[in-house]
Amino acid sequence: MRKWTVLLVMVVFIIEYVVYAWVGQRIGVGKTIFLTLATSILGGLMVQFEGRKVLESARGQMSNGQLPGRTVVDGLCILIGGLLLLIPGFVTDTIGFTMVFPLTRPLYKLWLVKWVAKKMKDGSITFFRR
């Protein structure tokens, strides 16, 4: 697992570097740096807003005696998207924005639910009920 993680970090770094250099050549270094900072600030604001909405929804579901399963998956997508927005670069920012944005988040939710179900079926993830 570690060698895959290291390989993934290296590949993401190389892709981000190439895209960052390409954008820098097209629009200039100053505008590229400004765009990077702007996407980080806008992404942080989006994460705060969407995170609060999901947290309120989860609280409402729990106060009604329901399990907030899908809401937790929303929160996980927002968390991962927020982490990707912290990484400077255009590719990770694009993926992060699509994970935080409510209209594109269902694409990731579907994949995430399937992945967790597969891991639970394999026995990699165990689930305990009281």
Side-chain angles (χ1 to χ4, degrees):
M1 180 69 181
R2 280 190 191 171
K3 68 179 175 180
W4 291 111
T5 305
V6 170
L7 181 66
L8 178 68
V9 169
M10 289 173 49
V11 167
V12 168
F13 177 75
I14 291 169
I15 291 171
E16 288 292 358
Y17 177 77
V18 168
V19 172
Y20 207 79
W22 182 80
V23 171
Q25 287 177 346
R26 299 287 182 251
I27 65 173
V29 175
K31 291 178 185 175
T32 303
I33 292 171
F34 172 76
L35 192 58
T36 302
L37 292 173
T39 56
S40 294
I41 292 169
L42 182 63
L45 294 172
M46 280 182 64
V47 167
Q48 282 184 344
F49 179 74
E50 290 298 321
R52 285 186 183 134
K53 275 186 8 182
V54 167
L55 189 60
E56 289 174 12
S57 175
R59 284 182 183 157
Q61 287 176 350
M62 286 189 298
S63 68
N64 290 335
Q66 300 171 342
L67 289 175
R70 297 285 180 185
T71 307
V72 170
V73 176
D74 271 333
L76 188 59
C77 285
I78 292 170
L79 175 69
I80 295 169
L83 291 174
L84 287 173
L85 286 168
L86 289 175
I87 300 170
F90 295 111
V91 176
T92 54
D93 283 352
T94 302
I95 296 169
F97 274 121
T98 57
M99 289 186 89
V100 171
F101 193 64
L103 297 177
T104 54
R105 193 180 314 139
L107 300 171
Y108 296 102
K109 284 173 49 177
L110 180 65
W111 176 81
L112 191 60
V113 167
K114 285 183 180 179
W115 181 77
V116 169
K118 180 183 172 197
K119 290 293 184 179
M120 287 175 68
K121 193 174 189 180
D122 292 347
S124 301
I125 298 174
T126 53
F127 180 71
F128 297 102
R129 288 189 177 195
R130 288 184 178 194

